[in-house]
Amino acid sequence: MSDDPAPVPGAPSGGARERIMVAALRCVERDGVRGFSLEDVAAEAGVSRTTVYRHFPEGRSQLVQETATWEVGRFWSRIATAVAEQPTLEDRLVEGLLMGTRMIRRSRIMANLMDPDLDELVSALRPAEPLVHTVIADYLRALLEDEAAAGRLRPGTDPAEAADYLTRMILSVLGSPAGVDLTDAEATRDLVRRQFLAGIVVPPSGK
Amino acid sequence: MTVIAGGRTGTGPVDAAAVALPALPPAGSNEAKVLDAVLACVARWGMQKTTIDDVARESGLSRATVYRLFPGGKPEMLRSAVLADVARLGGELTGELARATDLEDCLVRGLLAAGRHLSEDAALAFLLEHEPASVEAHLAFDRLDGLFATAAAVVGPSLAPHLAEPGRAGEVAVWAARLLVSYFLHPSPAVDLTVEDDVRRLVRTHLLPGLVPGPSDNHPTPLTTRSTGT
């Protein structure tokens, strides 16, 4: 499973709207969040300026915001797809954190961000935050309900509450590793065992 | 404020420098008056609209005195006021944790004191309501690493005596700080960090099992979505 920032297989493709957002991402990679115009995006996408405005009538800010939200959605769906094969909840969390970290490190957008760019990106992403939290928590809740049915959760664990807790930890750790080496599988597994799952899953016997 | 993520810098453990916290100016000093005035003005009008004149008027000092104390003007005043606020929180936490009897007590006291401090911070509340970008920009992506490093440095030593592995005190402090920031920025209907019962359930459900060595058959009442009674 590649985690290159390439289009998600099976994602709708070819539409002008998506082509414009892909072009916007390329422009951001090249010129920064603040460094491109709608003309640049139109040229990159091979469409007219009018077409860009038809899809994003509020102009640049709408394009930046929706592209950022769309890219965040792709980021998480790539991770969900990649970890689907992992045998345990712990493995999924570990692999997801490792992969998320690799993708962030590799992202030319993140690497090139200057502070004013970062501020604009923060503003652009803010409206999507509750949605991101909800999507991740719903995904984890379904996993936790399966785990509960299999008898692998501590008695009395509330899957919804546990999913909310895990979502907070995932978002916090990926955003600010603060000393944890998320490129190292052992360090990441140790973190997941201690801080993510210790209160949620039944401790492995003999441990 | 963590939608994608950060980690823009370097590889391996991120050694963000802890933010150096200033010594608090003596109460009643002109500097303390200015810093208090800054927070009062921000609580009323926000960061963008607060002017040096406002601060001078609020503090009862002359404009010239304010400028002499903060030659860097508004940005320096704002920064100093925020750092003083963080230093005050650090002092409160150190005092609170010194009275803790065991690990659970320590974590509950710390999270509760910090949660209440943040919720009572009128300047922060105004900013989150009206200028959220100004707050979140500081908490976004890996910019939080500095704040977490500060939490480790300030709170870690108070936690260490209660831990089976004292060497992990810093990371435990960061863990608690993560939860503090998360619940503050994204409130949960089930966990209110100003309510002792909620904090205790959070600590018992998620923190203690990861900190108490051995097979923890002493798992407490699990955290479930709190019924608010209405």
Side-chain angles (χ1 to χ4, degrees):
Chain A
M1 179 62 58
S2 160
D3 51 36
D4 281 326
V8 182
S13 60
R17 189 180 179 81
E18 183 169 324
R19 217 160 64 237
I20 293 166
M21 291 197 286
V22 170
L25 284 175
R26 281 201 208 105
C27 289
V28 170
E29 286 173 2
R30 199 176 53 216
D31 306 321
V33 181
R34 292 154 26 115
F36 69 90
S37 65
L38 285 190
E39 284 79 4
D40 297 336
V41 174
E44 182 75 38
V47 300
S48 70
R49 211 164 153 275
T50 317
T51 304
V52 174
Y53 269 109
R54 196 161 60 240
H55 287 279
F56 301 93
E58 290 158 48
R60 199 176 176 290
S61 63
Q62 186 190 6
L63 175 61
V64 168
Q65 183 174 315
E66 293 193 13
T67 302
T69 304
W70 177 68
E71 180 65 1
V72 167
R74 293 206 304 170
F75 174 88
W76 290 106
S77 70
R78 266 182 224 125
I79 292 181
T81 307
V83 302
E85 302 301 314
Q86 296 292 330
T88 69
L89 177 61
E90 178 182 304
D91 292 323
R92 284 194 193 204
L93 289 169
V94 171
E95 188 50 40
L97 290 174
L98 291 169
M99 179 178 164
T101 302
R102 280 198 305 273
M103 283 165 58
I104 291 159
R105 293 249 161 110
R106 220 180 277 166
S107 160
R108 278 169 293 169
I109 295 178
M110 294 304 294
N112 290 336
L113 277 186
M114 303 307 284
D115 279 357
D117 283 328
L118 189 60
D119 289 339
E120 175 158 355
L121 196 60
V122 168
S123 297
L125 287 172
R126 182 146 25 84
E129 273 180 42
L131 181 65
V132 169
H133 190 105
T134 304
V135 168
I136 298 172
D138 285 350
Y139 167 83
L140 290 168
R141 181 180 179 163
L143 286 182
L144 287 162
E145 280 166 356
D146 292 347
E147 295 290 305
R152 287 193 288 265
L153 297 192
R154 285 172 176 270
T157 296
D158 174 353
E161 183 283 320
D164 180 74
Y165 172 79
L166 290 177
T167 302
R168 291 173 186 278
M169 290 299 290
I170 290 167
L171 291 173
S172 175
V173 165
L174 273 182
S176 307
V180 181
D181 183 358
L182 293 177
T183 65
D184 180 87
E186 281 316 300
T188 304
R189 188 171 296 277
D190 188 61
L191 176 78
V192 166
R193 281 192 180 158
R194 285 172 193 274
Q195 298 191 5
F196 285 50
L197 293 177
I200 295 172
V201 301
V202 174
S205 54
K207 186 187 151 230
Chain B
M1 178 52 250
T2 36
V3 172
I4 298 193
R8 285 178 298 150
T9 47
T11 56
V14 181
D15 301 309
V19 181
L21 294 180
L24 288 172
S29 66
N30 282 351
E31 194 182 347
K33 282 182 193 161
V34 173
L35 296 180
D36 287 345
V38 170
L39 292 181
C41 289
V42 170
R44 214 172 296 145
W45 297 304
M47 254 186 215
Q48 282 161 16
K49 288 189 188 148
T50 293
T51 66
I52 301 272
D53 285 332
D54 295 331
V55 173
R57 207 172 306 121
E58 177 75 26
S59 64
L61 300 168
S62 72
R63 215 165 171 278
T65 306
V66 172
Y67 263 117
R68 201 158 49 242
L69 285 166
F70 297 95
K74 188 172 144 184
E76 188 193 352
M77 274 180 355
L78 288 170
R79 184 177 160 73
S80 299
V82 170
L83 286 178
D85 203 31
V86 175
R88 206 173 295 128
L89 173 60
E92 281 172 31
L93 286 177
T94 308
E96 191 64 34
L97 298 188
R99 291 191 282 279
T101 51
D102 60 18
L103 181 57
E104 177 179 321
D105 192 34
C106 203
L107 293 166
V108 171
R109 278 174 185 267
L111 278 168
L112 196 57
R116 287 179 177 164
H117 182 103
L118 292 183
S119 77
E120 286 160 11
D121 190 324
L124 198 50
F126 183 96
L127 291 175
L128 273 181
E129 172 88 18
H130 302 286
E131 299 176 29
S134 66
V135 179
E136 296 188 345
H138 290 283
L139 304 180
F141 305 100
D142 49 354
R143 288 177 183 178
L144 257 177
D145 278 356
L147 194 64
F148 287 155
T150 307
V154 172
V155 177
S158 308
L159 279 168
H162 301 288
L163 288 170
E165 298 172 274
R168 291 186 179 274
E171 65 185 64
V172 177
V174 171
W175 185 4
R178 285 188 191 292
L179 294 172
L180 177 70
V181 171
S182 176
Y183 283 107
F184 179 67
L185 289 181
H186 306 284
S188 150
V191 179
D192 178 342
L193 291 190
T194 67
V195 174
E196 179 167 349
D197 284 354
D198 287 7
V199 173
R200 193 171 298 281
R201 273 182 299 125
L202 178 69
V203 166
R204 286 184 177 175
T205 304
H206 293 294
L207 280 84
L208 291 181
L211 295 171
V212 178
S216 28
D217 48 2
N218 56 345
H219 189 53
T221 320
L223 183 64
T224 52
T225 307
R226 183 165 55 110
S227 64
T228 52
T230 45

